[in-house]
Amino acid sequence: MKFFIDTANLDDIREAQALGVLDGVTTNPSLMAKEGISGKNNILKHYVDICNIVDGDVSAEVISTEFSEMVKEGEALAELHDQIVVKIPMIKDGVKALKYFSDRGIRTNCTLVFSPGQALLAAKAGATYVSPFIGRLDDISTDGLNLIAEIRLIYDNYGFDTQILAASVRHTMHVIDCAKLGSDVMTGPLSAIEGLLKHPLTDSGLAKFLADYNKGN
Ligand code: E4P
């Protein structure tokens, strides 16, 4: 299972990279705005800064919603750095853009996916990654994890190569449940990754080992 961090915060990205378990980064316009990054040139520079910190894939989102504009914008993003994956929203022109990029070997991440039908379309169009937003489904009393299970079943039935990127992961249990369900990737905040570390028995066990060691020295 690949671990992506879902942020535009360079300190968090460095921290996750230093842990040695980071496989990539996802961003979106809201995450950029949260870090105070605005204006086309600053945003493009920020993508390159992120690529220079991590080894893996970095999703960069188009803001156009019309096919030819998406193509232009996506091609420019892909040229920024070879780690860039072009993030395309699940709308009609987005499906066309996914196919366009897939035919040309440009990797894509289909974002804002909330149903199995959308995920099926993304795979048919050749998306590299599909991003079901599980946290946002949970927010409206719908089972986000069930969507991961449904997409896994559909993709396995037909051997689609599109990787399931569980997005809008909010906490550690989302990570564990996505791993159980066979999600290929998860993207979440640093806290969801670091939360996997925690167990009180580890902490008390280590404290006892160290105390016992120190008794004899
Ligand atoms: C995915 O790529 C999105 O950036 C993201 O996971 C959205 O998460 P949120 O619902 O926590 O905003």
Side-chain angles (χ1 to χ4, degrees):
M1 186 192 204
K2 291 187 207 169
F3 277 14
F4 289 178
I5 189 168
D6 193 33
T7 185
N9 182 290
L10 298 184
D11 289 337
D12 281 4
I13 294 169
R14 281 192 200 97
E15 185 91 17
Q17 174 70 18
L19 195 58
V21 299
L22 191 66
D23 300 296
V25 178
T26 52
T27 61
N28 64 43
S30 305
L31 293 171
M32 283 285 182
K34 192 173 164 200
E35 299 308 316
I37 314 292
S38 61
K40 190 178 169 194
N41 290 343
N42 290 333
I43 290 173
L44 296 184
K45 181 187 171 302
H46 205 72
Y47 286 138
V48 175
D49 290 345
I50 293 172
C51 290
N52 289 333
I53 296 172
V54 298
D55 299 321
D57 291 347
V58 174
S59 289
E61 188 158 344
V62 300
I63 46 140
S64 314
T65 53
E66 188 274 322
F67 173 71
S68 60
E69 289 302 314
M70 280 177 162
V71 163
K72 222 186 292 171
E73 203 187 335
E75 284 177 336
L77 288 170
E79 272 178 24
L80 275 181
H81 200 286
D82 59 9
Q83 286 167 241
I84 293 283
V85 174
V86 182
K87 207 171 177 189
I88 307 274
M90 173 37 79
I91 56 176
K92 195 168 181 180
D93 282 37
V95 174
K96 294 178 191 169
L98 289 170
K99 175 72 175 134
Y100 175 94
F101 288 124
S102 153
D103 286 347
R104 286 156 184 80
I106 293 176
R107 292 171 309 137
T108 53
N109 172 0
C110 181
T111 190
L112 290 167
V113 166
F114 294 94
S115 76
Q118 291 178 323
L120 181 54
L121 265 181
K124 288 285 293 173
T128 312
Y129 296 103
V130 66
S131 287
F133 277 34
I134 62 172
R136 292 192 192 185
L137 283 169
D138 289 354
D139 288 345
I140 57 157
S141 309
T142 304
D143 187 353
L145 288 167
N146 186 49
L147 177 58
I148 301 293
E150 289 181 302
I151 300 172
R152 181 74 284 156
L153 176 67
I154 291 169
Y155 283 11
D156 287 352
N157 278 349
Y158 296 98
F160 283 120
D161 290 336
T162 301
Q163 295 176 56
I164 303 173
L165 196 175
S168 189
V169 159
R170 300 277 168 76
H171 49 70
T172 299
M173 278 314 294
H174 270 158
V175 180
I176 293 166
D177 287 332
C178 285
K180 286 186 191 168
L181 292 168
S183 190
D184 300 290
V185 193
M186 78 84 201
T187 191
L190 182 61
S191 58
I193 298 172
E194 290 191 333
L196 296 168
L197 269 172
K198 294 179 190 158
H199 200 287
L201 291 179
T202 303
D203 297 340
S204 59
L206 181 62
K208 173 99 170 71
F209 285 157
L210 295 180
D212 287 345
Y213 172 85
N214 285 326
K215 272 185 210 160
N217 288 286

